[in-house]
Amino acid sequence: MSDGTTLVQWVRKGDPDQVAQLLGGMTDAERRACVPALKDLRKELRVEPWGRPARAAYPALRVAGAACHTGAAAAAAWIGAADWRWSGQAVPELLRVLGDREKEWQADVAHRLAALPLSRGVSFEVVSGLVALSGCPVPTTEAYVVGWVDHVNGEVRGRRSLADRLRAEPHLAALTAALFETDDIGGRLDWFEADSPVSWSHGLATLTAEGVLERKVVVDGCVARLVRGGRPSDLRLFLKVLDRLALSRDEERERLADWAALCADGAGPVAGYAQKVLGALALDGDVPVRSLAEVSVAVLFRPEKKLVRAQLVLLDKVLRKGTPQGAAPVADEVLPAVGEAFGHADTEVQERALKVVARHLAGAGSAAREQLVLAAQQLSAGPRSRAEEVLGVRLAVDGPYQEVLPPAAEPFRLCPAPDSAAEVAEEVGALLSSGGDTAALERTLDGLMRHAYRDRAALKEALQPVVARRWWYGTDRPDHTQTYFRDATHGLEVVAATVVESVRTDVLHRAVTHGAHESRSPADGTLRRCHDARLWEAAYRIRTEPVPFLLATPTWSTGFIEPAELVARLAAYRAAKVRAGEADFAQALLRVDRGDGLTARAARDAAALGTPEGERLAEWLRSPAPAQPVVTLGDESGHLLVGMGEQADLQSALPDPFRRLGRPLSLPDAWGPYWYFEADTVQQRSHYLSMLPGRRESVAARLLRELSHCAVHDVRGAAGYLPLLAEAEGPAGQAVHLSVAYGLAARHPEDRLAAVDALLILAGRRQLDAPLLGSLLARGWEAADVKATRLADAFGTAAGTGAFTTVSAVLRGLLPTLLASKESPVALRGLADLLALAADCAERTGERGTIPGLAEVAARKGSSRLVAQARRLHTAIG
């Protein structure tokens, strides 16, 4: 038996130690001769399923291939291959078989491995071992530095401090310098409290103080890393190191430009640190007044109120110090910068800036006064009268207030299906990779059905390159594919997989006959089942009874089908002697526009077809327009939600599962346990809206449970479909407004922004019931589902678009409940912000009236922000 055959046998057994011993007695030529057999074995193992005994051979195979590839590039490519990422590393054996190579060869391999992306998962121990064997300069690539940090963090710590462990690192200076250049490293360095001896901030500061690390390199590295920016979690460590190093005044003075840049553009905590440093230097006279004024202009427009207030305090102190002898008047440089705060979105900031101007205006020249007058034109209505008094001028009066709302979107006709199989394949690829709206899905689905009917083989050929990278195409575990498509359609995937013959017909038949198992709550599971039923049916018909096109493809972007268009499609089915699919026809009935003025004629034409589907369509068109479901508001499990009454027209005329859409929705069903949560994408929810055009209250009620989690359980992304809900057809009642309410109270800013868009769209379409939305928010706040701080942020965004009347109307329905509450100040957090926003709205729009409970709060003693804003609002509306 040859050495190559014996080597492969030991590799198959998964014994790296025996493989290393066998390789030790082989020459380079004998090793090279084994490479083809090892490559063949690697190909063989690649198709083996995970968990099989063959996978145990990977560590030994990696050792064997590394030794048998005698070129540095080939050896590095073998060692760094992605195949080994999830298998054992066999580091001692790997270093043993590479230990007899020349040092230059070892260094070359080490640096090639270090240059691979972090995603390859190359073991740090392997690369550092090669560095130690070769004595080469240490690599400072991202992968190596991250590996070093993880290695240090993962060591058994015992009682040794991090500084003690770092002292033993022979390449400490180079690796420490590389920390400041490595992106996203800060989160790995910030595991412990800053005062802990095992923390990186403590260890780096200690070694710097001892002189082990050069102080200037560490300080410059930290400052440069902060200036470069990044996520707050990535910058926190470097800020802690600077804080522990306690920079001297000379060190701070050397970096004036850096502190200025950080004040203007740094992350909040970083900007706060730089502001303190710059402020101390400014008060000592180490910052030129003009430079301070330039920095202040940027800082005063930051959204962080704490930073803005601190900068105004600093400028006030600088103005109080007066002008140094022989210098230009400080007021002429600083006051115009203070005046820039007159354009800040927060009225409180405007008032603080105006107080600073009033205090020091006497020392300003005519040029500075002119700039202040121009800046004062940006003031809100509240501070304007005070500004006129301070500046001694009459400010220009704005014209009548005009609400700014987005225009209503116009419906558009859907484009026809793609003309060629290649175009269909292109559309399928786009949908599978990034999703798409209802128009794209329906157009592509119809195209698949049309071309499968005309030439299925050509369509299959066109689709194969598109689905080649899907895990289920050509997999060695086809049983997993069948389970994948038996339980869900996964959108258009099931139809594409059917065309390329990756799904068995019996699996499709079972899905069409029995549907999916009940894995979701009764509320939103029905929508998913109806959506999937049509896709399963379409896939099954491709295999059994292809159809020339689909009946339920919408005519309009709203999801509606014109009655005459559906009659024409049924006539084409009769001429082609094609049977209509049950789910497809049920969906077509739900989409046909019964509000069209030509329904009577379409009903006569449908009845004249003489087919069962024609008779059903005629009966559907002659029946009265569907009444909107009765939506009831209630509390279940302490949360605000809606129930929904029966919809008889859906139960009597449609097959299962569409019939379930007409069943009543009880409050327990509407809420459901939290562990039912299985988030749909925004695209999927848009498809649900097009399933029931004109019935958005029904859709909103069924999706409300899932949506509420963005406020109640801080789930991300659940509110993304709200703008589509606002654009949909049909009345906007309690379900729609409660959906918007939960979105406005969402934990994540992107969800709140989607809710703001929905709010503005409803207002622009004159479909917003502001008192209803305000009362729902009040009830949600009482149920602890809604936080006032989040509402203040959302309404502030809405008001910033110019919708002050809309925001004011909603707040008038919300504020009385909060003002009358006897809750603790902690529970009432955000109320002062809401009052300030309401005052802004009143001052801009000129609205008058009363808000229950406002006068009592305004009459309280004290000068807290809550009381001050209540007084301001009371004055504005009184």
Side-chain angles (χ1 to χ4, degrees):
M1 183 180 297
S2 67
D3 289 341
T5 304
T6 304
L7 178 64
V8 171
Q9 288 180 346
W10 280 111
V11 168
R12 286 186 179 277
K13 292 179 181 179
D15 191 338
D17 181 68
Q18 188 62 42
V19 167
Q21 291 185 28
L22 184 60
L23 288 166
M26 298 171 64
T27 65
D28 281 354
E30 291 172 335
R31 291 182 178 185
R32 283 193 294 268
C34 297
V35 170
L38 294 175
K39 288 184 176 180
D40 291 340
L41 178 58
R42 183 179 172 186
K43 291 179 181 178
E44 176 188 330
L45 294 180
R46 275 178 177 167
V47 299
E48 288 287 340
W50 283 103
R52 294 292 179 88
R55 293 289 174 182
Y58 264 8
L61 178 58
R62 188 188 193 197
V63 171
C68 293
H69 284 88
T70 55
W78 181 276
I79 297 170
D83 305 52
W84 330 116
R85 180 173 183 181
W86 304 113
S87 60
Q89 298 288 331
V91 175
E93 293 81 7
L94 188 58
L95 293 177
R96 193 198 317 170
V97 298
L98 301 180
D100 58 352
R101 299 288 184 186
E102 296 177 354
K103 293 188 179 298
E104 292 78 5
W105 187 95
Q106 294 169 341
D108 191 2
V109 172
H111 280 267
R112 288 176 183 272
L113 292 176
L116 292 175
L118 188 62
S119 59
R120 287 291 186 89
V122 177
S123 168
F124 168 76
E125 287 76 11
V126 171
V127 185
S128 62
L130 289 171
V131 170
L133 288 172
S134 65
C136 66
V138 65
T140 55
T141 62
E142 178 189 18
Y144 192 86
V145 174
V146 169
W148 174 63
V149 170
D150 289 346
H151 174 73
V152 173
N153 286 339
E155 285 183 337
V156 179
R157 305 197 167 193
R159 295 185 178 181
R160 295 181 67 199
S161 67
L162 182 71
D164 290 337
R165 293 198 307 279
L166 291 179
R167 286 191 191 93
E169 170 58 56
H171 308 288
L172 180 60
L175 291 172
T176 302
L179 287 178
F180 306 122
E181 303 294 333
T182 305
D183 291 332
D184 300 323
I185 195 69
R188 298 174 183 266
L189 303 173
D190 197 28
W191 285 7
F192 300 96
E193 294 292 332
D195 293 333
S196 171
V198 295
S199 71
W200 280 86
S201 57
H202 186 282
L204 292 175
T206 299
L207 294 178
T208 303
E210 294 174 357
V212 176
L213 295 174
E214 187 178 347
R215 182 178 179 88
K216 188 176 187 307
V217 171
V218 175
V219 173
D220 286 344
C222 287
V223 173
R225 188 66 186 82
L226 296 177
V227 170
R228 198 168 78 209
R231 294 179 300 177
S233 60
D234 192 38
L235 303 177
R236 192 179 301 122
L237 180 278
F238 304 104
L239 196 58
K240 289 180 179 178
V241 173
L242 278 182
D243 193 47
R244 291 191 66 86
L245 289 177
L247 302 190
S248 67
R249 185 51 51 90
D250 289 338
E251 289 174 321
E252 292 174 344
R253 194 181 299 111
E254 291 172 0
R255 298 169 176 84
L256 275 178
D258 295 324
W259 308 132
L262 292 174
C263 282
D265 301 315
V270 176
Y273 175 87
Q275 187 183 51
K276 291 179 181 178
V277 175
L278 198 65
L281 292 172
L283 293 177
D284 286 348
D286 292 327
V287 180
V289 175
R290 178 165 295 181
S291 299
L292 177 63
E294 291 173 352
V295 172
S296 298
V297 170
V299 175
L300 292 176
F301 269 95
R302 291 186 64 116
E304 301 94 336
K305 296 178 184 178
K306 183 177 180 181
L307 291 176
V308 174
R309 289 196 295 264
Q311 195 68 18
L312 288 173
V313 170
L314 171 61
L315 295 178
D316 187 36
K317 290 180 178 179
V318 171
L319 286 164
R320 287 176 186 272
K321 285 189 66 177
T323 304
Q325 187 174 3
V330 173
D332 287 347
E333 296 284 357
V334 174
L335 282 183
V338 175
E340 294 294 328
F342 291 166
H344 197 279
D346 191 335
T347 307
E348 282 188 89
V349 171
Q350 297 178 13
E351 292 173 346
R352 285 173 178 265
L354 187 56
K355 290 178 181 178
V356 175
V357 170
R359 199 174 293 131
H360 303 285
L361 184 62
S366 59
R369 287 173 178 267
E370 290 176 4
Q371 293 181 55
L372 289 169
V373 171
L374 288 174
Q377 302 293 343
Q378 307 173 76
L379 286 167
S380 301
R384 287 177 76 89
S385 59
R386 172 61 177 155
E388 290 177 341
E389 179 184 339
V390 170
L391 297 174
V393 297
R394 185 73 177 171
L395 298 177
V397 179
D398 294 332
Y401 171 76
Q402 291 185 342
E403 187 85 344
V404 179
L405 294 171
E410 293 293 332
F412 59 88
R413 294 185 70 92
L414 264 62
C415 297
D419 291 331
S420 66
E423 289 181 80
V424 173
E426 186 177 342
E427 297 281 351
V428 169
L431 283 170
L432 294 184
S433 62
S434 58
D437 57 12
T438 297
L441 174 72
E442 291 290 348
R443 179 174 181 270
T444 306
L445 178 61
D446 191 39
L448 283 169
M449 301 305 291
R450 289 173 183 267
H451 288 280
Y453 181 80
R454 297 172 192 169
D455 190 345
R456 184 174 150 197
L459 180 60
K460 176 183 176 181
E461 183 179 355
L463 275 181
Q464 281 175 332
V466 172
V467 301
R469 297 185 66 86
R470 310 304 290 186
W471 72 266
W472 43 259
Y473 181 72
T475 179
D476 58 324
R477 292 297 297 271
D479 53 324
H480 286 184
T481 302
Q482 310 313 313
T483 303
Y484 181 70
F485 288 117
R486 182 190 65 208
D487 296 333
T489 61
H490 303 283
L492 207 62
E493 282 191 57
V494 69
V495 183
T498 300
V499 173
V500 298
E501 299 181 359
S502 292
V503 187
R504 297 197 310 265
T505 304
D506 63 295
V507 172
L508 297 173
H509 180 265
R510 179 194 176 282
V512 170
T513 306
H514 302 290
H517 62 83
E518 303 281 346
S519 64
R520 297 168 65 88
S521 77
D524 51 356
T526 300
L527 295 170
R528 172 75 73 87
R529 280 189 289 272
C530 294
H531 183 256
D532 284 355
R534 181 164 170 254
L535 290 170
W536 269 319
E537 182 184 83
Y540 184 62
R541 292 296 294 269
I542 287 176
R543 286 282 178 81
T544 56
E545 300 176 77
V547 295
F549 52 82
L550 290 174
L551 296 173
T553 303
T555 309
W556 293 93
S557 59
T558 55
F560 280 117
I561 302 175
E562 293 179 352
E565 175 68 19
L566 184 54
V567 173
R569 293 174 186 176
L570 288 175
Y573 264 43
R574 184 187 64 174
K577 298 182 180 180
V578 174
R579 179 180 63 86
E582 190 175 63
D584 188 36
F585 184 61
Q587 179 63 84
L589 291 179
L590 288 173
R591 283 178 171 165
V592 71
D593 187 359
R594 286 194 273 179
D596 191 297
L598 302 176
T599 53
R601 178 177 177 179
R604 290 194 300 271
D605 293 344
L609 292 175
T611 63
E613 289 79 15
E615 292 293 339
R616 286 175 62 190
L617 175 59
E619 182 181 353
W620 184 263
L621 291 174
R622 290 170 183 148
S623 62
Q628 291 300 316
V630 178
V631 176
T632 56
L633 190 68
D635 295 304
E636 182 67 27
S637 302
H639 302 289
L640 194 64
L641 61 153
V642 297
M644 190 167 56
E646 180 183 33
Q647 300 177 74
D649 61 323
L650 299 183
Q651 290 211 68
S652 60
L654 300 176
D656 203 54
F658 294 89
R659 183 182 296 117
R660 303 187 191 188
L661 293 171
R663 293 179 183 175
L665 183 65
S666 65
L667 293 182
D669 286 343
W671 183 250
Y674 174 56
W675 53 83
Y676 266 129
F677 181 77
E678 178 188 344
D680 290 317
T681 64
V682 173
Q683 288 86 2
Q684 285 172 319
R685 298 187 192 108
S686 71
H687 303 331
Y688 299 157
L689 288 167
S690 73
M691 282 169 47
L692 294 168
R695 301 176 188 251
R696 63 175 165 183
E697 275 286 284
S698 297
V699 178
R702 293 186 176 278
L703 294 179
L704 187 60
R705 173 200 63 89
E706 186 173 305
L707 172 64
S708 67
H709 292 154
C710 69
V712 178
H713 297 295
D714 296 346
V715 173
R716 186 189 296 272
Y721 82 105
L722 285 178
L724 301 174
L725 179 66
E727 291 176 349
E729 298 297 322
Q734 293 195 99
V736 170
H737 281 77
L738 185 54
S739 298
V740 175
Y742 274 125
L744 292 170
R747 164 67 177 82
H748 298 284
E750 59 268 31
D751 288 317
R752 293 198 296 271
L753 187 59
V756 169
D757 288 342
L759 172 74
L760 298 177
I761 291 170
L762 289 173
R765 299 180 70 186
R766 308 237 191 289
Q767 295 174 340
L768 178 68
D769 187 338
L772 172 61
L773 179 58
S775 65
L776 291 174
L777 288 169
R779 290 189 60 176
W781 181 82
E782 290 177 318
D785 290 341
V786 169
K787 292 181 173 61
T789 50
R790 298 177 184 175
L791 295 181
D793 176 80
F795 284 126
T797 302
T801 67
F804 291 97
T805 299
T806 300
V807 172
S808 177
V810 178
L811 291 178
R812 285 172 180 264
L814 167 64
L815 287 175
T817 300
L818 276 65
L819 291 169
S821 174
K822 304 299 182 183
E823 296 285 344
S824 66
V826 174
L828 289 171
R829 282 183 59 202
L831 176 55
D833 294 327
L834 290 173
L835 290 172
L837 182 58
D840 283 343
C841 294
E843 290 167 353
R844 288 178 180 268
T845 62
E847 291 182 350
R848 298 294 181 264
T850 59
I851 297 177
L854 179 62
E856 290 78 2
V857 176
R860 292 178 187 173
K861 296 180 180 180
S863 58
S864 67
R865 185 165 181 266
L866 174 63
V867 174
Q869 293 302 325
R871 291 170 183 163
R872 178 179 160 219
L873 176 58
H874 186 56
T875 301
I877 66 175

